[in-house]
Amino acid sequence: MPSTDILIAFVVTTAVFAFIPGPAMLYVAARTLAANRRAGLMATLGIHVGCYVHVVAAAAGLSVLFHLVPTLYLAVKLAGAAYLIYLGVRMFRAARSAGEMHGALPAAKSAGRAFLESMLVEVLNPKTAIFFLAFLPQFIDVTAAFPVWLQFLILGTLVNAMFTVADVACVLAAGAITARLQRVSSLQRNLQRAGGAILVGLGLHVALQRT
């Protein structure tokens, strides 16, 4: 493994990246606003599990394909953007259906569904793969006793864990707000609309980004 000084720099740098508000925080906050804290936590877990696909890909050297085949990167990025927009539109429709039922709210989305959808969102996010490909090699020691692929797995797991801690903190904050506002059914529908708007906005942002 890298020296202690390098590991300290790694942890500090990762913490800075993790706690800067970004798309993942917006996503889990949107899921929390649209449903409840449990849905947000399951969405966070889904992102966490999905991220391991990119960790393993980086360790296996597969992430470099996104650099070598730009069309593949674009296709995955657009698929992820389309899925985010789909989820956002579905939240809008759920809120409208609740209004047509005169305040009766639809059944809460199962935790398993929130988990699976969020895992797919993360798997279809090629920027995570590019991040690992650009960030982790700076802290890899090719002369260490551990092979390079194992160092990728260990450091990638640490990065994933720290980002998950930041996302959980975001869910807890959003959940505290949501718990109070959801006591009024009309406000809950507005929260669903807000969550849907955030997801649609994230999807459009991802689709229109040049890189």
Side-chain angles (χ1 to χ4, degrees), residues 28-127:
V28 296
R31 297 303 296 248
T32 306
L33 290 173
N36 50 42
R37 183 173 63 183
R38 187 179 182 216
L41 290 174
M42 291 305 296
T44 300
L45 180 60
I47 290 176
H48 179 82
V49 174
C51 187
Y52 283 117
V53 172
H54 298 294
V55 173
V56 172
L62 298 178
S63 298
V64 73
L65 289 174
F66 286 125
H67 274 305
L68 299 177
V69 188
T71 303
L72 176 62
Y73 174 86
L74 180 62
V76 174
K77 184 183 79 166
L78 292 179
Y83 190 58
L84 280 170
I85 292 172
Y86 161 74
L87 292 177
V89 170
R90 197 173 66 186
M91 284 185 186
F92 273 115
R93 294 179 64 184
R96 185 177 63 182
S97 297
E100 291 173 352
M101 290 187 290
H102 306 290
L105 295 173
K109 184 177 299 180
S110 70
R113 187 172 184 179
F115 168 79
L116 291 174
E117 289 177 351
S118 301
M119 184 171 61
L120 183 56
V121 165
E122 181 63 13
V123 170
L124 291 176
N125 181 12
K127 283 188 170 295

Side-chain angles (χ1 to χ4, degrees), residues 30 33-34 178 181-182 186-196:
L33 290 173
T178 304
L181 297 180
Q182 281 186 338
S186 60
L187 287 178
Q188 184 171 356
R189 292 194 296 274
N190 287 333
L191 288 175
Q192 285 183 301
R193 295 187 183 100

Side-chain angles (χ1 to χ4, degrees), residues 107-179:
K109 184 177 299 180
S110 70
R113 187 172 184 179
F115 168 79
L116 291 174
E117 289 177 351
S118 301
M119 184 171 61
L120 183 56
V121 165
E122 181 63 13
V123 170
L124 291 176
N125 181 12
K127 283 188 170 295
T128 302
I130 297 300
F131 172 78
F132 281 127
L133 190 62
F135 181 66
L136 294 185
Q138 301 178 56
F139 304 96
I140 296 293
D141 184 358
V142 295
T143 65
F146 288 0
V148 170
W149 67 266
L150 183 56
Q151 293 182 58
F152 263 103
L153 285 179
I154 293 172
L155 295 179
T157 298
L158 290 174
V159 169
N160 194 14
M162 293 184 71
F163 271 80
T164 298
V165 169
D167 290 344
V168 167
C170 183
V171 168
L172 294 178
I177 298 172
T178 304

